[in-house]
């Protein structure tokens, strides 16, 4: 990797909690990383890098990046991730739209706001029903795709200021929601202030993101990269909610993205909590996530997985086999760089996303090829980088496996299947 610069978005808050400014305790450092979703056009050109590490706040109990990248460098008019890439995700977001529709069904002219609506994977269902809605989406290219599907989109970053603007134009919302976006926004205090302004007193705010206990249990450190500023637990979210006059009233696990959690927040701190909140919070305490001891074995686990994976790939290669990879995910940037897996071991990554095909993986410069290349090539071994889509991919690639092709997976441990 050729480095161009070392710049931080908010240097003064480096190593400090972004919620309360308390000193963070470092959990693990990965060294220099490029922007995870900036696929490289010219492998000879320099790449922007930053220092990737996460820390834990003893006061807020929030796990978070110790230094952050400027959001405009990640979310802009050439954002590489389009949500509608998988049948399973389409199903997931249709179900989310159904849940919202049921919630507002007895309300008069309800208004639904989604933060980070991306290509409209969820809101298109709301738009099709003729319900008032607004998607907030700063990445212009994905926002265009959403508009093409009839979704109303405001092309801005959501924060307290944007919330006021929306309230002036549209009034307050019955539902505010966001999937895989809350954990992306460094100034999360401003987001909660915005939700406070924009949500009706009897409205609901819910969001879902990768769940910290799942990341720790699986050792799935690839979830740690520039876009993921926060790694939520119920313990941390309930404190954050209270700080802004909300109560965490519900929690529901979701299978997507390797294990996610959906959090439901209501205005007012005396709201009744569902039993499942108590259940998850006590589970998290049993895992010691309220004290630093709960995080110390993570680093060891990560390093074990990395070295097992590297050794497995080297052995396969030394035996004269070719290895391809499947899914040019953002998260594989951390996995590939930290495990030192480059084009010497992996020939190419197969991906269906037009914005990624023909480019190279950030930092490691493995070429990204279309899916039909993978089908024609029929490599004997394939590293399953998009492991969170395993069920869908194994189903799709049944004939590859029946023909002797093998996938290599790595969480919670390395396996050849
Ligand atoms: P996937 C992104 O993470 C970025 P990524 C972001 N930070 C986040 O939190 C989540 O999404 C929501 C390809 N693929 O979903 C498509 C195939 O080629 O794991 C994608 O490039 N064939 C916002 O990037 C990649 O794999 C297939 O059959 O880690 C999957 O990316 C399937 C199913 C996927 O998200
Ligand atoms: N909700 C979709 C998209 C996740 S990708 C899904 O789960 O698949 C994260 C999205 O959040 C990106 O499209 C990015 O542009 C958007 N985003 C980042 N910061 C944001 C902010 N401050 N306000 C609203 N959207 C934001």
């Amino acid at each position: 990797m050729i480095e161009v610069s070392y710049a931080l978005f908010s240097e003064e808050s480096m190593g400090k909690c972004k919620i309360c400014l308390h000193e963070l305790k470092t959990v693990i450092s990965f060294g220099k990383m490029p922007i995870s979703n900036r696929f490289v056009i010219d492998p000879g050109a320099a790449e922007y890098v930053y220092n990737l590490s996460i820390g834990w706040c003893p006061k807020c109990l929030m796990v978070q990046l110790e230094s952050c990248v400027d959001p405009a460098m990640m979310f802009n008019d050439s954002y590489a991730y389009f949500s509608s890439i998988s049948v399973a995700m389409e199903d997931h977001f249709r179900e989310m739209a159904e849940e919202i529709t049921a919630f507002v069904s007895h309300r008069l002219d309800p208004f639904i706001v989604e933060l980070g609506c991306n290509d409209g994977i969820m809101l298109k269902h709301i738009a099709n029903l003729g319900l008032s809605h607004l998607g907030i989406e700063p990445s212009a290219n994905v926002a265009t795709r959403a508009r093409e599907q009839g979704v109303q989109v405001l092309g801005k970053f959501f924060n307290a200021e944007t919330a006021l603007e929306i309230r002036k134009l549209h009034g307050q919302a019955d539902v505010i929601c966001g999937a895989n976006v809350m954990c992306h926004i460094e100034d999360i205090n401003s987001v909660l202030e915005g939700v406070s302004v924009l949500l009706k007193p009897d409205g609901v705010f819910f969001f879902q993101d990768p769940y910290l206990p799942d990341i720790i249990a699986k050792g799935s450190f690839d979830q740690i990269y520039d876009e993921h500023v926060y790694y939520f637990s119920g313990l941390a979210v309930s404190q954050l909610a209270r700080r802004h006059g909300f109560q965490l009233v519900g929690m529901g696990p979701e299978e997507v993205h390797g294990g996610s959690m959906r959090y439901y927040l209501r205005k007012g701190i005396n709201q009744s909590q569902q039993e499942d909140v108590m259940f998850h919070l006590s589970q998290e305490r049993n895992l010691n996530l309220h004290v630093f001891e709960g995080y110390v074995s993570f680093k060891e686990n990560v390093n074990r997985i990395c070295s097992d994976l590297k050794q497995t790939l080297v052995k396969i290669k030394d035996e004269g086999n070719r290895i391809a990879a499947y899914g040019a995910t953002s998260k594989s940037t951390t996995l590939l760089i930290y495990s030192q897996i480059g084009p010497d071991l992996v020939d190419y990554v197969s991906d269906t996303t037009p914005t990624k095909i023909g480019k190279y993986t950030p930092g490691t410069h493995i070429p990204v090829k279309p899916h039909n290349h993978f089908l024609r090539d029929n490599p004997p071994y394939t590293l399953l980088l998009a492991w969170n889509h395993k069920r869908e991919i194994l189903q799709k690639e049944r004939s590859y496996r029946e023909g002797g092709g093998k996938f290599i997976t790595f969480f919670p441990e390395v396996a050849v299947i």
Side-chain angles (χ1 to χ4, degrees):
M1 175 165 54
I2 308 164
E3 297 161 7
V4 62
S5 65
Y6 177 68
L8 292 170
F9 183 47
S10 44
E11 223 153 328
E12 72 282 359
S13 64
M14 197 179 136
K16 297 223 174 75
C17 174
K18 284 163 273 297
I19 296 163
C20 74
L21 293 177
H22 195 284
E23 213 61 45
L24 297 174
K25 283 173 89 91
T26 302
V27 174
I28 183 168
S29 304
F30 296 98
K32 289 185 180 178
M33 291 285 162
I35 307 265
S36 61
N37 250 322
R38 189 178 281 182
F39 287 81
V40 169
I41 298 169
D42 172 10
E47 275 175 273
Y48 172 96
V49 294
Y50 69 101
N51 250 336
L52 177 65
S53 67
I54 54 165
W56 174 77
C57 175
K59 222 168 136 200
C60 294
L61 311 183
M62 186 71 87
V63 173
Q64 53 195 281
L65 290 186
E66 292 194 300
S67 52
C68 297
V69 168
D70 180 348
M73 289 196 62
M74 301 183 281
F75 310 115
N76 44 47
D77 58 1
S78 48
Y79 188 52
Y81 185 71
F82 284 71
S83 298
S84 306
I85 37 91
S86 120
V87 176
M89 294 316 295
E90 285 279 10
D91 290 346
H92 177 78
F93 283 109
R94 190 182 14 79
E95 282 165 20
M96 184 189 279
E98 283 164 7
E99 183 182 322
I100 294 172
T101 312
F103 178 79
V104 299
S105 62
H106 298 297
R107 295 184 173 223
L108 196 68
D109 194 18
F111 178 42
I112 297 142
V113 172
E114 189 190 6
L115 316 182
C117 68
N118 199 275
D119 59 9
I121 187 167
M122 196 286 283
L123 274 185
K124 67 182 176 196
H125 301 290
I126 303 289
N128 282 342
L129 291 169
L131 293 167
S132 300
H133 67 275
L134 189 65
I136 321 298
E137 181 46 71
S139 297
N141 57 337
V142 295
T144 300
R145 181 71 63 83
R147 289 191 187 98
E148 285 164 2
Q149 308 203 64
V151 175
Q152 301 290 321
V153 185
L154 177 68
K156 289 199 169 171
F157 286 95
F158 184 81
N159 52 33
E161 199 186 315
T162 325
L164 271 174
E165 220 178 279
I166 300 167
R167 181 178 165 156
K168 263 190 213 145
L169 280 173
H170 304 272
Q172 285 185 306
D174 295 81
V175 176
I176 303 179
C177 62
N180 304 298
V181 61
M182 279 296 280
C183 77
H184 292 59
I185 310 176
E186 180 178 1
D187 194 355
I188 201 162
N189 285 327
S190 178
V191 173
L192 268 296
E193 280 166 33
V195 172
S196 193
V197 161
L198 188 57
L199 191 67
K200 283 183 185 167
D202 63 348
V204 68
F205 171 44
F206 74 86
F207 58 93
Q208 70 183 48
D209 290 279
Y211 188 42
L212 181 66
D214 280 314
I215 296 175
I216 292 186
K218 296 190 174 85
S220 48
F221 70 97
D222 59 351
Q223 291 289 2
I224 302 166
Y225 56 91
D226 53 354
E227 291 186 15
H228 289 176
V229 179
Y230 298 102
Y231 304 84
F232 296 140
S233 62
L235 289 168
V237 169
S238 64
Q239 282 210 36
L240 176 69
R242 278 185 163 258
R243 197 183 176 93
H244 292 276
F246 290 92
Q247 174 98 318
L248 173 62
V249 294
M251 282 173 79
E254 297 286 338
E255 245 188 68
V256 296
H257 292 300
S260 298
M261 182 59 79
R262 191 176 291 176
Y263 304 92
Y264 296 84
L265 272 57
R266 292 275 204 163
K267 277 186 168 173
I269 52 171
N270 295 319
Q271 298 268 2
S272 61
Q273 276 185 327
Q274 287 169 9
E275 263 175 37
D276 51 13
V277 176
M278 295 308 174
F279 170 76
H280 291 296
L281 298 191
S282 81
Q283 292 274 92
E284 292 175 9
R285 275 194 207 93
N286 291 343
L287 293 169
N288 268 340
L289 297 187
H290 58 307
V291 285
F292 192 65
E293 285 64 40
Y295 302 91
V296 286
S297 59
F298 181 65
K299 185 173 169 178
E300 218 174 274
N301 202 16
V302 167
N303 289 338
R304 175 188 55 80
I305 294 170
C306 281
S307 95
D308 286 355
L309 179 60
K310 176 90 189 239
Q311 276 177 30
T312 304
L313 297 184
V314 168
K315 185 165 175 281
I316 290 172
K317 194 84 182 169
D318 284 350
E319 286 166 1
N321 298 294
R322 284 178 310 106
I323 308 168
Y326 203 107
T329 67
S330 340
K331 51 187 173 297
S332 30
T333 303
T334 305
L335 179 97
L336 294 171
I337 295 177
Y338 194 61
S339 314
Q340 299 181 335
I341 299 167
D344 51 328
L345 285 173
V346 172
D347 292 355
Y348 60 90
V349 189
S350 165
D351 201 284
T352 51
T353 317
T355 43
K356 299 180 183 178
I357 293 166
K359 297 182 184 161
Y360 299 83
T361 55
T364 43
H365 300 172
I366 303 171
V368 182
K369 305 264 186 191
H371 182 237
N372 58 14
H373 179 89
F374 170 80
L375 293 179
R376 271 199 312 270
D377 183 44
N378 196 30
Y381 289 90
T382 303
L383 181 61
L384 187 54
L385 295 175
W387 58 271
N388 46 312
H389 299 289
K390 179 173 161 189
R391 193 179 302 143
E392 181 175 342
I393 292 170
L394 292 195
Q395 170 78 13
K396 203 192 254 177
E397 305 302 346
R398 248 196 338 251
S399 54
Y400 166 69
R401 290 179 75 210
E402 281 163 9
K406 301 236 180 282
F407 279 107
I408 303 157
T409 58
F410 35 83
F411 297 135
E413 50 218 326
V414 179
V416 180
I417 56 171

